[in-house]
Amino acid sequence: MTFGITAQDKGEDVYYTIRWSPLALADRWTISAQVPAVAGVYEIYWMDDHGHLRMLSVGNTHYGGLRSEIRRLTDPELITDAQAKEILENKEIWFRYAPTNSNTVMADVVWFFRKTYFPENPGVESSGKYRKIFLKESAPDKLIWVP
């Protein structure tokens, strides 16, 4: 399976298909060996005491690429936020990613996820290029997470 994001532009609307990488346990060696140093979208989760994945972060990265950003966001020594640092130090951390070089695609996909997951405050803007954004996900794992 090839990971990444494709788009079908339908004038004022766009249909994205995101093909996620398999979920992987975040450790510096796995990240260094498996994650490409390219631009893209990522999701980071932590495992709670009941074996459920909980969203820690969803975002995109340009410079330095997915490898350095996922590595930075999953290393408690590099994080200053106390709550995130505690999670990173004490919980199992998982991640997945989808490469893309398009700024428009990254903006729209991250906005779509954040608007879906955190409707009261997505914290990001879409590209503004499209009236409606549609998204279909494909992943090798059956992912169920708790907000």
Side-chain angles (χ1 to χ4, degrees):
M1 173 185 228
T2 302
F3 321 128
I5 305 170
T6 57
Q8 290 184 331
D9 187 321
K10 302 286 185 174
E12 292 185 345
D13 300 340
V14 65
Y15 294 80
Y16 291 113
T17 300
I18 184 166
R19 288 178 201 80
W20 290 110
S21 68
L23 275 169
L25 190 59
D27 66 60
R28 65 182 65 169
W29 299 279
T30 302
I31 295 167
S32 293
Q34 295 179 6
V35 179
V38 298
V41 175
Y42 61 83
E43 290 184 335
I44 300 174
Y45 300 89
W46 60 277
M47 185 76 70
D48 71 12
D49 296 335
H50 302 287
H52 298 114
L53 289 175
R54 295 191 175 264
M55 176 69 67
L56 182 62
S57 179
V58 58
N60 63 291
T61 182
H62 305 279
Y63 305 109
L66 289 163
R67 181 184 306 146
S68 63
E69 188 69 358
I70 292 171
R71 171 75 173 89
R72 183 183 71 78
L73 292 171
T74 59
D75 188 336
E77 294 177 9
L78 301 176
I79 297 296
T80 57
D81 177 82
Q83 184 179 9
K85 187 177 188 85
E86 182 177 338
I87 290 170
L88 293 173
E89 289 175 339
N90 299 306
K91 303 293 182 182
E92 231 178 50
I93 307 299
W94 293 81
F95 70 92
R96 65 184 185 173
Y97 61 88
T100 181
N101 289 324
S102 170
N103 290 332
T104 299
V105 170
M106 285 189 274
D108 289 345
V109 168
V110 171
W111 174 84
F112 184 93
F113 284 133
R114 292 190 60 88
K115 185 71 174 165
T116 302
Y117 302 156
F118 316 108
E120 67 287 346
N121 184 19
V124 296
E125 296 291 327
S126 71
S127 69
K129 185 175 178 180
Y130 301 103
R131 181 178 57 92
K132 287 188 179 178
I133 298 170
F134 300 92
L135 192 138
K136 182 173 95 174
E137 293 182 89
S138 174
D141 313 289
K142 181 179 176 186
L143 175 64
I144 300 173
W145 67 275
V146 179

